[in-house]
């Protein structure tokens, strides 16, 4: 909790989610969604205390290499094979306010598009020095950064010839359970983005572009690693200045 | 023209995919040695106050098949109805209780399980008490945006009858989809994604 500095605790309800900006549940181009999408309307709630609160994680959970996927699974003195990159950015809310103390977890395939998972059978080889998971917590300005190798594209059984673009999965905890978000980051210039049925579940092209990280030449470290910048926006919350029923906030 | 409101748009969601375990429960995925343990596996310890209960169940698709690649997170109050969160302003929750848990469904049976305590009652926005409940967040391959629902307790009939959220459900026949089945200290709660038995999901 000390990660949240001396901010006054925020107790306002979150802005309603714009569900036309997010993918709908039923997206037949992504076949698995057909039997896994609710058919009835959602029941909308204006956040109660159960939704405006949420878990916050301290730095005590973090190990030294948790934000270094090049080394956190590698044997001593060795490192993962692939394009060395830094992914960095800020976590902000819809009001543009930084979200400090946000836990970010990420996972990805290796440079050849192979995941380290027992249910995975793609013929591309595993990298003995790459696990594919990492985590970090945003600083007081909402900044985060981690090192990894750029994941390869990955074929999957949807259509006969569907391939995922290179992507990194992100899971984000803000300060309230309503802000909980899982998404995916894509890479600038990847032609696979616009062919992908999972990307295309998002109806608005501008929303898709929000998930495409930009090559960041300024943050690239010469002779070491290129950088990609990926900002994440979580839901904003109302001010409680004029809430007149304080006992319920 | 008028001034711009200047709000940003929330980052759009994408599915957690079939390999969500790599990132969120790597030890479960046999990726050993990166984290000492998976986050969210232990909600209670020896000193946690309250009535010990187990929550278990499955997530079931529109064909009646259990999902074997779903992952569930729960968020609940402690036994006094307090949340372990900076936004909890009424007091301090039990320091020996996380209020939050994470569990991947079993890769063969699809079952999830949480060992926790029964939550106390929490006030609604207008001060009325809500019935004891546990908030769920469900993700999986095929789910584009995490689904939110609530578990309520069958042995809290009076509280459930006056719960402001349950009271909002127009189709009364759907209320039982949110109420677990009790078997000793274990509560069974299956989540039906689609069809006749479809669980009520919330836009929170």
């Amino acid at each position: 909790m000390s990660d949240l500095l001396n901010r006054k605790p925020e107790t306002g309800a979150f802005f309603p989610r714009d569900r036309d900006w997010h993918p709908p549940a039923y997206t037949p181009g992504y076949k698995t969604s057909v039997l896994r999408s609710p058919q009835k309307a959602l029941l909308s709630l204006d956040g109660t205390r159960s939704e405006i609160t949420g878990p916050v994680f301290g730095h005590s959970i973090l190990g030294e290499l948790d934000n270094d996927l090049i080394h956190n699974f590698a044997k001593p003195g060795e490192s993962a094979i692939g394009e060395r990159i830094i992914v960095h950015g800020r976590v902000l809310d819809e009001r543009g306010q930084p979200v400090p103390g946000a836990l970010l977890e990420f996972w990805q395939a290796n440079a050849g598009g192979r995941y380290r998972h027992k249910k995975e059978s793609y013929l591309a080889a595993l990298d003995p020095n790459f696990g594919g998971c990492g985590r970090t917590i945003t600083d007081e300005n909402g900044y985060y950064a981690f090192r990894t190798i750029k994941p390869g594209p990955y074929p999957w059984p949807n259509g006969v010839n569907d391939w995922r673009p290179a992507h990194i999965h992100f899971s984000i905890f803000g300060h309230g359970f309503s802000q909980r978000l899982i998404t995916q980051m894509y890479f600038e210039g990847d032609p696979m983005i616009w062919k992908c049925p999972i990307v295309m579940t998002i109806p608005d092209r501008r929303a898709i572009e929000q998930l495409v990280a930009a090559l960041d030449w300024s943050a690239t470290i010469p002779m070491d690693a290129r950088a990609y910048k990926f900002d994440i926006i979580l839901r904003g919350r109302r001010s409680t200045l004029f809430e007149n029923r304080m006992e319920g906030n | 023209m008028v001034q711009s409101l200047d709000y940003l748009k929330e980052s759009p969601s994408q599915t957690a995919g079939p390999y969500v375990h790599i990132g969120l429960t790597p030890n479960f995925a046999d990726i050993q040695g990166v984290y000492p343990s998976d986050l969210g596996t232990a909600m209670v310890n020896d000193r946690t106050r309250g009535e010990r209960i187990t929550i278990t169940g499955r997530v079931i698709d529109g064909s009646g098949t259990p999902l074997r690649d779903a992952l569930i997170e729960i968020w609940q109050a402690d036994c006094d109805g307090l949340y372990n969160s900076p936004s909890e302003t009424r007091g301090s929750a039990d320091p020996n209780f996380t209020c939050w848990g994470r569990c991947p469904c079993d890769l063969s049976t699809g079952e999830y399980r949480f060992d926790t305590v029964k939550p106390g009652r929490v006030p609604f926005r207008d001060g009325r008490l809500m019935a004891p409940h546990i908030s769920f967040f469900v993700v999986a391959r095929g789910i584009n945006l995490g689904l939110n629902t609530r578990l309520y307790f069958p042995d809290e009939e009076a509280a459930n009858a006056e719960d402001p959220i349950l009271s909002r459900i127009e189709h009364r026949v759907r209320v039982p989809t949110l109420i677990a089945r009790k078997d000793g200290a274990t509560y069974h709660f299956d989540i039906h994604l689609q069809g006749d038995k479809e669980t009520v999901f919330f836009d929170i």
Side-chain angles (χ1 to χ4, degrees):
Chain A
M1 312 300 151
S2 58
D3 299 329
L4 295 180
L5 305 171
N6 297 316
R7 272 195 179 193
K8 188 165 171 270
E10 294 195 276
T11 56
F14 289 94
F15 299 160
R17 190 166 244 161
D18 180 354
R19 288 180 177 267
D20 294 328
W21 187 253
H22 287 278
Y26 176 73
T27 47
Y30 174 25
K31 293 181 180 177
T32 312
S33 76
V34 172
L35 283 174
R36 295 185 173 194
S37 44
Q39 294 166 324
K40 298 177 173 64
L42 303 177
L43 182 68
S44 294
L45 306 182
D46 189 23
T48 74
R49 198 170 282 269
S50 304
E51 288 80 36
I52 65 171
T53 57
V56 171
F57 302 88
H59 282 91
S60 60
I61 68 165
L62 299 180
E64 205 173 321
L65 293 177
D66 281 8
N67 67 346
D68 184 353
L69 282 70
I70 296 177
H71 295 108
N72 69 9
F73 192 76
K75 291 185 266 301
E78 299 188 15
S79 60
I81 291 173
E83 299 177 33
R84 296 163 59 87
I85 59 170
I86 290 163
V87 178
H88 75 121
R90 299 180 77 188
V91 179
L92 305 170
D93 73 13
E94 291 167 298
R95 302 168 302 181
Q97 300 288 315
V99 183
L103 173 67
L104 272 63
E105 298 164 284
F106 11 87
W107 66 101
Q108 62 170 92
N110 70 20
R114 173 70 185 266
Y115 283 97
R116 186 173 287 279
H117 192 283
K118 51 190 136 191
K119 289 284 180 88
E120 150 75 290
S121 57
Y122 180 36
L123 48 77
L126 283 169
D127 177 346
N129 288 312
F130 187 73
C133 62
R135 60 188 179 186
T136 190
I137 291 175
T138 56
D139 72 10
E140 65 274 19
N141 298 310
Y143 278 106
Y144 76 92
F146 62 97
R147 271 177 184 269
T148 188
I149 54 95
K150 190 176 174 193
Y154 162 79
W156 58 302
N158 187 62
V160 282
N161 192 24
D162 279 337
W163 293 72
R164 297 303 321 285
H167 64 281
I168 299 177
H169 295 265
F170 276 71
S171 163
I172 308 107
F173 286 87
H175 299 165
F177 204 59
S178 288
Q179 285 179 310
R180 191 78 185 84
L181 182 69
I182 288 181
T183 188
Q184 302 182 26
M185 180 197 108
Y186 305 102
F187 292 84
E188 178 181 0
D190 186 346
M192 308 288 296
I193 294 170
W194 308 101
K195 298 178 184 296
C196 176
I198 288 179
V199 173
M200 291 304 163
T201 61
I202 301 174
D204 190 320
R205 186 184 174 97
R206 293 166 303 165
I208 293 172
E209 286 168 348
Q210 199 176 343
L211 297 182
V212 183
L215 179 64
D216 184 350
W217 210 241
S218 299
T220 289
I221 304 174
M223 305 302 287
D224 180 348
R226 291 177 307 148
Y228 282 87
K229 176 114 190 300
F230 185 58
D231 288 342
I232 297 163
I233 312 300
L234 300 181
R235 291 165 69 180
R237 73 199 310 169
R238 296 200 301 261
S239 152
T240 50
L241 290 175
F242 297 99
E243 300 270 350
N244 57 7
R245 292 177 297 198
M246 296 306 287
E247 74 279 14
N249 285 333
Chain B
M1 293 296 284
V2 299
Q3 292 187 5
S4 163
L5 288 173
D6 279 344
Y7 289 114
L8 303 174
K9 296 297 287 184
E10 185 185 12
S11 297
S13 175
Q14 292 270 261
T15 179
Y19 307 130
V20 58
H21 316 102
I22 295 173
L24 302 190
T25 53
N27 291 287
F28 174 85
D30 283 341
I31 299 175
Q32 314 284 345
V34 181
Y35 308 149
S37 63
D38 290 335
L39 214 53
T41 48
M43 298 180 70
V44 296
N45 64 33
D46 295 344
R47 287 164 295 167
T48 306
R49 291 182 290 107
E51 178 190 345
R52 302 303 170 105
I53 60 169
T54 295
I55 307 287
T56 186
R58 297 178 301 172
V59 184
I60 297 164
D61 76 12
S63 78
T65 307
L67 273 60
R68 295 177 299 171
D69 51 14
L71 180 134
I72 295 177
E73 291 179 357
I74 61 172
W75 175 241
Q76 64 164 100
D78 72 3
C79 65
D80 295 323
L82 293 171
Y83 283 105
N84 190 347
S85 162
S87 299
E88 176 58 87
T89 51
R90 296 166 301 156
S92 295
D94 183 348
N96 292 303
F97 184 58
T98 61
C99 294
W100 176 79
R102 170 184 280 169
C103 184
C105 292
D106 186 274
L107 294 178
S108 51
T109 66
E111 274 191 345
Y112 72 85
R113 177 193 166 104
F114 293 97
D115 293 315
T116 181
V117 296
K118 195 168 176 190
R121 296 181 73 173
V122 175
F124 188 60
R125 297 191 71 80
D126 60 7
R128 280 182 292 160
L129 288 178
M130 296 189 279
H133 64 276
I134 296 178
S135 299
F136 277 61
F137 175 73
V138 181
V139 295
R141 174 172 67 103
I143 296 176
N144 291 325
L145 173 57
L147 294 168
N148 293 106
T149 187
R150 285 184 174 197
L151 175 157
Y152 284 85
F153 295 88
D155 44 3
E156 294 286 346
E157 279 187 41
N160 290 344
E162 63 185 19
D163 181 81
I165 306 295
L166 293 178
S167 307
R168 283 266 308 278
I169 299 174
E170 179 190 354
H171 301 100
R172 302 310 294 167
V173 67
R174 301 194 65 207
V175 172
T177 69
L178 299 180
I179 299 178
R181 178 170 59 80
K182 185 171 169 34
D183 176 15
T186 299
Y187 292 90
H188 296 268
F189 185 60
D190 284 342
I191 296 165
H192 292 267
L193 297 179
Q194 190 183 88
D196 292 343
K197 290 188 276 187
E198 187 172 307
T199 300
V200 173
F201 295 104
F202 296 99
D203 178 19
I204 64 171

